[in-house]
Amino acid sequence: MNAPHPQKVAGIDAAVPAPAHTAAPAPVTAGTAPVPPPHAPGALLQDRLAGWVSDLTTLHELTERLARTTSLDEALQELLRAGAALVGARRGLVVLEPADRQGPDTTIGLGLGRADLGHIETVPRSATSFGRILDGLPGGDHEITEPDLFAGDGPDPRHREVAARLGYAASYALPLSAETGGRLGAAVWLYDEPAEPVERQRHLIGLYARCAAEHLARLLEVERTRACMATIAEELLPSRLPRVAGVQLAARHRTGPRGGGDWYDALPLPDAALGLAVGAVTGSGPSAVAAMGRLRASLRAYAVMEGEDPVAVLSDLELLLRLTEPARSATALFAYCEPALRKITLAGAGHCPPLLVGQRRTEFVETSVSAPLGMLACWEAPSVELQAEPGETVLLYTDGLLHRTGDPVDRAFARLHAAAAGVPRSLRRDPDALVDHVLRTVLPDGLDSADSEEDVVLLAARFE
């Protein structure tokens, strides 16, 4: 009768070689169990199974850590760290250069600084393992092992010079290719001494690299979509702020990965006046960005025709929104400014009140409570007049600034007020410095640039 074959695990060949000879049975003492010889097939099988379980556990942990990464840079760093652990290296680099030439192209190092990566880039591309992979040169379609860069004639002289300078003597490179996205780039790990990964290490890193490439392909599409949406949103906003006598302007805009509907505008008006507007369209993604562009363009037209009456401007905008975007609502605030008189007339539709920042006062402007545009059959609310003092700044913003804090609304308003009141006197003369300080204070620790569904807009006007 044939003995059953051991089961294969995760594609690893589970065949066990037959022993070369049969060992004599060990003597059995009464009352004790027989001890199998150290090279018995059962012991070999147990050792091999234990190795497979250990390898699979390691791969599972590493792929789980990789799957938790949400940005391309974070995933590339995790790829380098995990690969270094699998092949027994300390340093490495990954070159992201998608074959479709649509970017983004980047190089990230592990244990290598910017200067080190710069030195490696001085090596002729065809002399580097990642260059041969990325350019499709002979041998670049699979792993490239260079166990001793200084043995014999070695590689390109410049490569040897750079290797000696950076202190590495061997390298192991793998292409990063996904089934859907094709070639994405190449990863290279560097050894301090002549070395190369053994067959087991190559098998593990090969499995991990295939999984990593698919994850990178997904993140790459997300990154491209995000960059595309950010570009479209920025193109729909002012390319530069106008120069108007008697007032200095500054603006900041942060958008989420899907693109949102928050916007701002500043436009010169007849009689040396200035129109300021901020608003937010409900929703996110391409449709919200498109709706934002239409509303902003319409508001500019209404502001030119009847900007001295902010209520009329927002009433016209509400009618347009109700007729053309019946399933969407929006908040908006429009201010008609006369810089020579430092006089501001404003009206808001469901929008946050502006903040007045000066040397002697920091306070919210009291505006009438009103519904957002598109929420009522007919919108109208009284306007508010404000007289600014010389050197005071009016700060307009969207509610995304408050929502990104994660605090309740009242605490978020208090945080914004404290941030504006705490602007150093030396910065209050510069609206750019003022909005940067407020943004960093209200959203510390990178919250202003972190991925979020909430857009952020700040528009500051300092009156001289």
Side-chain angles (χ1 to χ4, degrees):
M1 180 180 295
N2 294 329
H5 294 287
Q7 185 179 4
K8 293 186 177 181
V9 180
I12 302 175
D13 186 5
V16 178
H21 62 278
T22 302
V28 179
T29 306
T32 62
V35 179
H39 298 294
L44 290 174
L45 180 59
Q46 288 180 359
D47 290 343
R48 181 164 293 186
L49 285 175
W52 293 338
V53 171
S54 176
D55 291 344
L56 291 175
T57 301
T58 299
L59 280 177
H60 175 73
E61 292 176 352
L62 293 178
T63 52
E64 282 289 314
R65 286 168 49 182
L66 179 68
R68 288 194 292 267
T69 60
T70 57
S71 69
L72 201 56
D73 285 349
E74 186 183 2
L76 293 174
Q77 289 285 0
E78 179 60 32
L79 165 66
L80 282 175
R81 287 192 293 267
L86 290 174
V87 302
R90 291 195 312 112
R91 293 180 291 173
L93 68 152
V94 58
V95 182
L96 188 69
E97 192 175 297
D100 58 12
R101 301 186 182 277
Q102 295 183 16
D105 296 348
T106 186
T107 301
I108 293 179
L110 173 68
L112 298 171
R114 288 182 177 271
D116 299 332
L117 295 176
H119 287 310
I120 293 175
E121 290 177 353
T122 64
V123 179
R125 189 176 171 97
S126 60
T128 63
S129 53
F130 65 83
R132 297 199 293 276
I133 291 174
L134 296 176
D135 295 339
L137 298 178
D141 55 347
H142 51 77
E143 63 181 7
I144 298 179
T145 305
E146 295 177 312
D148 191 348
L149 295 173
F150 301 100
D153 294 336
D156 180 87
R158 177 57 183 167
H159 192 183
R160 299 179 68 180
E161 179 184 346
V162 169
R165 182 168 187 172
L166 300 184
Y168 65 89
S171 68
Y172 178 72
L174 276 179
L176 299 174
S177 299
E179 292 184 2
T180 55
R183 192 208 67 210
L184 304 177
V188 185
W189 289 277
L190 307 176
Y191 297 90
D192 296 343
E193 302 292 339
E196 62 179 308
V198 298
E199 182 179 355
R200 170 177 165 272
Q201 292 174 316
R202 293 181 181 181
H203 182 68
L204 292 176
I205 190 60
L207 294 174
Y208 180 81
R210 285 196 291 272
C211 175
E214 297 300 329
H215 184 64
L216 290 174
R218 291 189 291 269
L219 292 179
L220 183 63
E221 288 303 315
V222 172
E223 189 75 17
R224 288 176 173 177
T225 302
R226 177 183 307 172
C228 180
M229 293 303 304
T231 301
I232 293 174
E234 293 298 332
E235 289 295 326
L236 292 174
L237 295 175
S239 58
R240 62 182 181 87
L241 296 172
R243 293 185 179 182
V244 178
V247 65
Q248 296 174 284
L249 299 174
R252 296 294 183 270
H253 178 233
R254 302 288 187 269
T255 188
R258 296 184 59 201
D262 288 20
W263 53 276
Y264 68 94
D265 206 351
L267 66 156
L269 296 175
D271 302 324
L274 173 69
L276 301 176
V278 292
V281 176
T282 56
S284 60
S287 62
V289 173
M292 174 266 286
R294 290 191 292 268
L295 284 184
R296 174 178 171 266
S298 301
L299 185 140
R300 290 177 71 90
Y302 299 146
V304 171
M305 293 186 294
E306 47 192 359
E308 68 279 359
D309 185 358
V311 173
V313 171
L314 293 186
S315 296
D316 292 342
L317 194 64
E318 194 275 338
L319 178 60
L320 176 74
L321 182 68
R322 185 153 43 90
L323 294 176
T324 62
E325 308 275 352
R328 198 181 295 276
S329 63
T331 64
L333 187 146
F334 179 74
Y336 179 80
C337 306
E338 300 173 79
L341 303 176
R342 295 189 300 279
K343 179 182 176 182
I344 307 167
T345 306
L346 59 88
H351 206 80
C352 303
L355 188 60
L356 188 62
V357 183
Q359 297 289 353
R360 292 178 294 180
R361 60 174 175 172
T362 299
E363 58 188 33
F364 290 102
V365 178
E366 294 187 6
T367 57
S368 57
V369 178
S370 63
L373 303 176
M375 297 293 289
L376 300 177
C378 182
W379 176 91
E380 187 169 340
S383 60
V384 176
E385 288 190 359
L386 172 67
Q387 186 69 41
E389 298 295 330
E392 288 188 329
T393 299
V394 176
L395 183 64
L396 312 180
Y397 53 94
T398 59
D399 58 3
L401 176 66
L402 307 176
H403 294 324
R404 279 207 187 193
T405 63
D407 293 337
V409 176
D410 56 343
R411 291 186 181 179
F413 273 117
R415 177 183 288 193
L416 174 58
H417 184 278
V423 176
R425 292 182 178 272
S426 59
L427 302 182
R428 298 197 177 200
R429 295 179 177 272
D430 183 0
D432 278 297
L434 186 146
V435 294
D436 283 338
H437 181 275
V438 170
L439 192 60
R440 289 194 305 266
T441 306
V442 176
L443 300 175
D445 303 326
L447 283 177
D448 62 322
S449 58
D451 288 346
S452 172
E453 294 297 322
E454 299 290 343
D455 283 11
V456 174
V457 164
L458 289 96
L459 177 62
R462 182 182 183 273
F463 292 87
E464 298 175 351

Coordinates of all heavy atoms in Angstrom, one line a residue, residues 50-102:
A50 N 6.8 23.1 10.6 CA 7.0 24.2 11.5 C 7.6 25.4 10.8 O 7.2 26.6 11.0 CB 7.9 23.8 12.7
G51 N 8.5 25.1 9.9 CA 9.1 26.2 9.1 C 8.1 26.9 8.2 O 8.0 28.1 8.0
W52 N 7.2 26.0 7.6 CA 6.1 26.6 6.7 C 5.2 27.5 7.5 O 4.8 28.6 7.1 CB 5.3 25.5 6.0 CG 6.1 24.7 5.0 CD1 7.2 25.1 4.4 CD2 5.8 23.4 4.6 NE1 7.7 24.1 3.6 CE2 6.8 23.0 3.7 CE3 4.8 22.5 5.0 CZ2 6.8 21.8 3.1 CZ3 4.8 21.2 4.3 CH2 5.9 20.9 3.4
V53 N 4.8 27.0 8.7 CA 3.9 27.8 9.5 C 4.5 29.1 9.9 O 3.9 30.2 9.9 CB 3.5 27.0 10.8 CG1 2.7 27.9 11.8 CG2 2.6 25.8 10.4
S54 N 5.8 29.0 10.3 CA 6.5 30.3 10.7 C 6.6 31.3 9.5 O 6.4 32.5 9.7 CB 7.9 29.9 11.1 OG 8.7 31.1 11.4
D55 N 6.9 30.7 8.3 CA 7.0 31.6 7.1 C 5.6 32.2 6.8 O 5.5 33.4 6.5 CB 7.5 30.8 5.9 CG 9.0 30.4 6.1 OD1 9.6 31.0 6.9 OD2 9.4 29.5 5.3
L56 N 4.6 31.4 6.8 CA 3.3 31.9 6.5 C 2.8 32.9 7.6 O 2.1 33.9 7.2 CB 2.3 30.8 6.4 CG 2.4 29.8 5.2 CD1 1.5 28.7 5.3 CD2 2.2 30.6 3.9
T57 N 3.1 32.7 8.8 CA 2.8 33.7 9.9 C 3.5 35.0 9.6 O 2.9 36.1 9.8 CB 3.1 33.1 11.2 OG1 2.4 31.9 11.4 CG2 2.8 34.1 12.3
T58 N 4.8 34.9 9.3 CA 5.5 36.1 9.0 C 4.9 36.9 7.8 O 4.8 38.1 7.9 CB 7.0 35.8 8.7 OG1 7.6 35.1 9.9 CG2 7.8 37.0 8.4
L59 N 4.6 36.2 6.7 CA 4.1 36.8 5.6 C 2.7 37.5 5.9 O 2.4 38.6 5.4 CB 3.9 35.8 4.4 CG 5.1 35.5 3.6 CD1 4.8 34.4 2.6 CD2 5.7 36.7 2.9
H60 N 1.9 36.8 6.7 CA 0.6 37.3 7.1 C 0.8 38.6 7.9 O 0.1 39.6 7.6 CB -0.2 36.3 7.9 CG -1.5 36.8 8.4 ND1 -2.6 37.0 7.6 CD2 -1.8 37.2 9.7 CE1 -3.6 37.4 8.4 NE2 -3.2 37.5 9.6
E61 N 1.7 38.6 8.8 CA 1.9 39.8 9.6 C 2.4 41.0 8.7 O 1.9 42.1 8.9 CB 2.9 39.5 10.7 CG 2.3 38.6 11.8 CD 3.4 38.2 12.8 OE1 4.6 38.6 12.6 OE2 3.0 37.6 13.8
L62 N 3.3 40.7 7.8 CA 3.9 41.8 7.0 C 2.8 42.3 6.0 O 2.7 43.5 5.8 CB 5.1 41.3 6.3 CG 6.3 40.9 7.1 CD1 7.4 40.4 6.3 CD2 6.8 42.1 7.9
T63 N 2.0 41.4 5.4 CA 1.0 41.9 4.5 C -0.1 42.6 5.2 O -0.7 43.6 4.6 CB 0.4 40.7 3.7 OG1 0.0 39.7 4.6 CG2 1.5 40.1 2.7
E64 N -0.4 42.2 6.4 CA -1.4 43.0 7.2 C -0.9 44.4 7.5 O -1.7 45.3 7.4 CB -1.7 42.2 8.5 CG -2.6 41.0 8.4 CD -4.0 41.4 8.1 OE1 -4.5 42.3 8.8 OE2 -4.6 40.8 7.2
R65 N 0.3 44.5 7.8 CA 0.9 45.9 8.1 C 0.9 46.7 6.8 O 0.6 47.9 6.8 CB 2.3 45.7 8.6 CG 2.4 45.3 10.1 CD 3.8 44.9 10.5 NE 4.8 45.9 10.1 CZ 6.1 45.8 10.4 NH1 6.5 44.7 11.0 NH2 6.9 46.8 10.1
L66 N 1.2 46.0 5.7 CA 1.1 46.8 4.4 C -0.3 47.2 4.1 O -0.5 48.3 3.6 CB 1.7 45.9 3.3 CG 1.7 46.5 1.9 CD1 2.7 47.6 1.8 CD2 2.1 45.4 0.9
A67 N -1.3 46.3 4.3 CA -2.6 46.6 3.9 C -3.2 47.8 4.8 O -4.1 48.5 4.3 CB -3.5 45.4 4.1
R68 N -2.6 48.1 5.9 CA -3.1 49.2 6.7 C -2.5 50.5 6.3 O -3.0 51.6 6.8 CB -2.7 48.9 8.2 CG -3.5 47.8 8.9 CD -3.3 47.9 10.4 NE -2.0 47.5 10.8 CZ -1.6 46.3 11.1 NH1 -2.5 45.3 11.1 NH2 -0.4 46.0 11.5
T69 N -1.6 50.5 5.4 CA -1.1 51.8 4.9 C -2.1 52.4 3.9 O -2.7 51.7 3.1 CB 0.3 51.6 4.1 OG1 0.1 50.7 3.0 CG2 1.3 51.0 5.1
T70 N -2.2 53.7 4.0 CA -3.2 54.4 3.2 C -2.7 55.4 2.2 O -3.4 56.0 1.5 CB -4.2 55.2 4.2 OG1 -3.5 56.1 5.0 CG2 -5.0 54.2 5.0
S71 N -1.4 55.7 2.3 CA -0.8 56.6 1.3 C 0.4 55.9 0.6 O 0.9 54.9 1.1 CB -0.2 57.8 2.0 OG 0.9 57.5 2.8
L72 N 0.7 56.4 -0.6 CA 1.7 55.8 -1.4 C 3.1 55.8 -0.7 O 3.8 54.8 -0.7 CB 1.8 56.5 -2.8 CG 2.4 55.7 -3.9 CD1 1.7 54.4 -4.1 CD2 2.4 56.6 -5.2
D73 N 3.5 56.9 -0.1 CA 4.8 57.0 0.5 C 4.9 56.1 1.7 O 5.9 55.4 1.9 CB 5.0 58.5 1.0 CG 5.4 59.4 -0.1 OD1 5.7 58.9 -1.2 OD2 5.4 60.6 0.1
E74 N 3.8 56.0 2.5 CA 3.7 55.1 3.6 C 3.9 53.6 3.2 O 4.6 52.8 3.8 CB 2.4 55.3 4.4 CG 2.3 54.5 5.7 CD 1.0 54.7 6.4 OE1 0.1 55.4 5.8 OE2 0.8 54.2 7.5
A75 N 3.2 53.3 2.1 CA 3.3 51.9 1.6 C 4.7 51.6 1.1 O 5.2 50.5 1.3 CB 2.3 51.7 0.5
L76 N 5.3 52.5 0.4 CA 6.7 52.3 -0.1 C 7.7 52.1 1.1 O 8.6 51.2 1.0 CB 7.1 53.4 -1.0 CG 6.4 53.6 -2.3 CD1 6.8 54.8 -3.0 CD2 6.6 52.3 -3.2
Q77 N 7.5 52.9 2.1 CA 8.4 52.7 3.3 C 8.2 51.4 4.0 O 9.1 50.7 4.3 CB 8.1 53.8 4.3 CG 8.6 55.2 3.9 CD 10.1 55.3 4.0 OE1 10.8 54.4 4.4 NE2 10.6 56.5 3.7
E78 N 6.9 50.9 4.1 CA 6.6 49.6 4.7 C 7.2 48.5 3.8 O 7.7 47.5 4.3 CB 5.1 49.5 4.8 CG 4.7 48.1 5.4 CD 5.3 47.9 6.8 OE1 5.5 48.9 7.6 OE2 5.5 46.7 7.1
L79 N 7.1 48.7 2.5 CA 7.7 47.7 1.6 C 9.2 47.5 1.8 O 9.7 46.4 1.8 CB 7.4 48.1 0.1 CG 8.2 47.4 -1.0 CD1 7.9 45.9 -1.0 CD2 8.0 48.0 -2.3
L80 N 9.9 48.6 1.9 CA 11.3 48.6 2.1 C 11.7 47.9 3.5 O 12.6 47.1 3.5 CB 11.9 50.0 2.1 CG 12.1 50.6 0.7 CD1 12.6 52.0 0.8 CD2 13.1 49.8 -0.1
R81 N 10.9 48.3 4.5 CA 11.2 47.7 5.8 C 10.9 46.2 5.9 O 11.8 45.4 6.4 CB 10.4 48.4 6.9 CG 10.8 49.8 7.3 CD 10.2 50.3 8.5 NE 8.7 50.5 8.3 CZ 8.1 51.6 7.9 NH1 8.9 52.7 7.8 NH2 6.8 51.7 7.8
A82 N 9.8 45.8 5.3 CA 9.5 44.4 5.3 C 10.4 43.6 4.4 O 10.9 42.5 4.8 CB 8.0 44.2 4.8
G83 N 10.8 44.1 3.3 CA 11.7 43.4 2.4 C 13.1 43.3 3.0 O 13.7 42.2 2.9
A84 N 13.5 44.3 3.7 CA 14.8 44.2 4.4 C 14.8 43.1 5.4 O 15.8 42.4 5.6 CB 15.2 45.6 5.0
A85 N 13.7 43.0 6.1 CA 13.7 41.9 7.1 C 13.7 40.5 6.5 O 14.2 39.6 7.0 CB 12.4 42.1 8.0
L86 N 13.0 40.4 5.3 CA 12.9 39.1 4.7 C 14.2 38.7 4.0 O 14.5 37.5 4.0 CB 11.8 39.1 3.6 CG 10.4 39.2 4.2 CD1 9.4 39.4 3.0 CD2 10.0 38.0 5.0
V87 N 15.0 39.6 3.5 CA 16.2 39.2 2.8 C 17.4 39.4 3.6 O 18.5 39.2 3.2 CB 16.3 40.0 1.4 CG1 15.2 39.7 0.5 CG2 16.5 41.5 1.7
G88 N 17.3 40.0 4.8 CA 18.4 40.1 5.7 C 19.3 41.3 5.4 O 20.5 41.2 5.6
A89 N 18.7 42.4 4.9 CA 19.5 43.6 4.6 C 19.1 44.7 5.6 O 18.1 44.6 6.3 CB 19.2 44.0 3.2
R90 N 19.9 45.8 5.6 CA 19.7 46.9 6.5 C 19.2 48.1 5.7 O 18.5 49.0 6.3 CB 20.9 47.3 7.3 CG 21.4 46.3 8.3 CD 22.4 46.9 9.3 NE 23.5 47.6 8.6 CZ 23.7 48.9 8.6 NH1 22.8 49.7 9.3 NH2 24.7 49.5 8.0
R91 N 19.6 48.2 4.5 CA 19.3 49.4 3.7 C 18.7 49.1 2.4 O 18.7 47.9 1.9 CB 20.5 50.3 3.5 CG 21.1 50.9 4.7 CD 22.3 51.7 4.5 NE 23.5 50.9 4.1 CZ 24.6 51.4 3.6 NH1 24.8 52.7 3.5 NH2 25.6 50.6 3.3
G92 N 18.1 50.0 1.7 CA 17.5 49.8 0.4 C 16.9 51.0 -0.2 O 16.8 52.1 0.5
L93 N 16.3 50.9 -1.4 CA 15.6 52.0 -2.0 C 14.6 51.4 -2.9 O 14.8 50.3 -3.4 CB 16.6 52.9 -2.8 CG 17.2 52.4 -4.0 CD1 17.5 53.5 -5.0 CD2 18.6 51.7 -3.6
V94 N 13.5 52.1 -3.1 CA 12.5 51.8 -4.1 C 12.3 52.9 -5.0 O 12.2 54.1 -4.6 CB 11.2 51.4 -3.4 CG1 10.6 52.5 -2.5 CG2 10.1 50.9 -4.4
V95 N 12.3 52.6 -6.3 CA 12.1 53.6 -7.4 C 10.7 53.4 -8.0 O 10.5 52.3 -8.6 CB 13.2 53.5 -8.4 CG1 13.0 54.6 -9.5 CG2 14.6 53.6 -7.8
L96 N 9.8 54.3 -7.8 CA 8.5 54.2 -8.4 C 8.5 55.0 -9.7 O 8.7 56.2 -9.7 CB 7.5 54.8 -7.4 CG 6.0 54.6 -7.8 CD1 5.6 53.2 -7.7 CD2 5.1 55.5 -7.0
E97 N 8.3 54.3 -10.8 CA 8.3 54.9 -12.1 C 7.4 54.0 -13.0 O 7.8 53.2 -13.7 CB 9.7 54.8 -12.7 CG 9.9 55.7 -13.9 CD 11.4 55.7 -14.4 OE1 12.2 56.2 -13.6 OE2 11.7 55.2 -15.4
P98 N 6.0 54.3 -12.9 CA 5.1 53.5 -13.7 C 5.4 53.5 -15.2 O 5.8 54.5 -15.8 CB 3.7 54.2 -13.4 CG 4.0 54.9 -12.1 CD 5.4 55.3 -12.1
A99 N 5.1 52.3 -15.8 CA 5.4 52.1 -17.2 C 4.6 53.0 -18.1 O 5.0 53.3 -19.2 CB 5.3 50.7 -17.6
D100 N 3.4 53.4 -17.6 CA 2.5 54.2 -18.5 C 2.9 55.7 -18.5 O 2.3 56.5 -19.2 CB 1.0 54.1 -18.0 CG 0.8 54.5 -16.6 OD1 1.8 55.1 -16.0 OD2 -0.3 54.3 -16.0
R101 N 4.0 56.0 -17.8 CA 4.5 57.4 -17.8 C 3.6 58.4 -17.3 O 3.7 59.6 -17.7 CB 5.1 57.7 -19.1 CG 6.2 56.8 -19.6 CD 6.8 57.2 -21.0 NE 7.8 56.3 -21.4 CZ 9.1 56.3 -21.0 NH1 9.5 57.1 -20.1 NH2 9.9 55.4 -21.5
Q102 N 2.6 58.1 -16.5 CA 1.6 59.1 -16.0 C 1.9 59.5 -14.6 O 1.2 60.2 -14.0 CB 0.2 58.5 -16.1 CG -0.3 58.2 -17.5 CD -1.7 57.7 -17.5 OE1 -2.5 57.8 -16.5 NE2 -2.1 57.2 -18.6

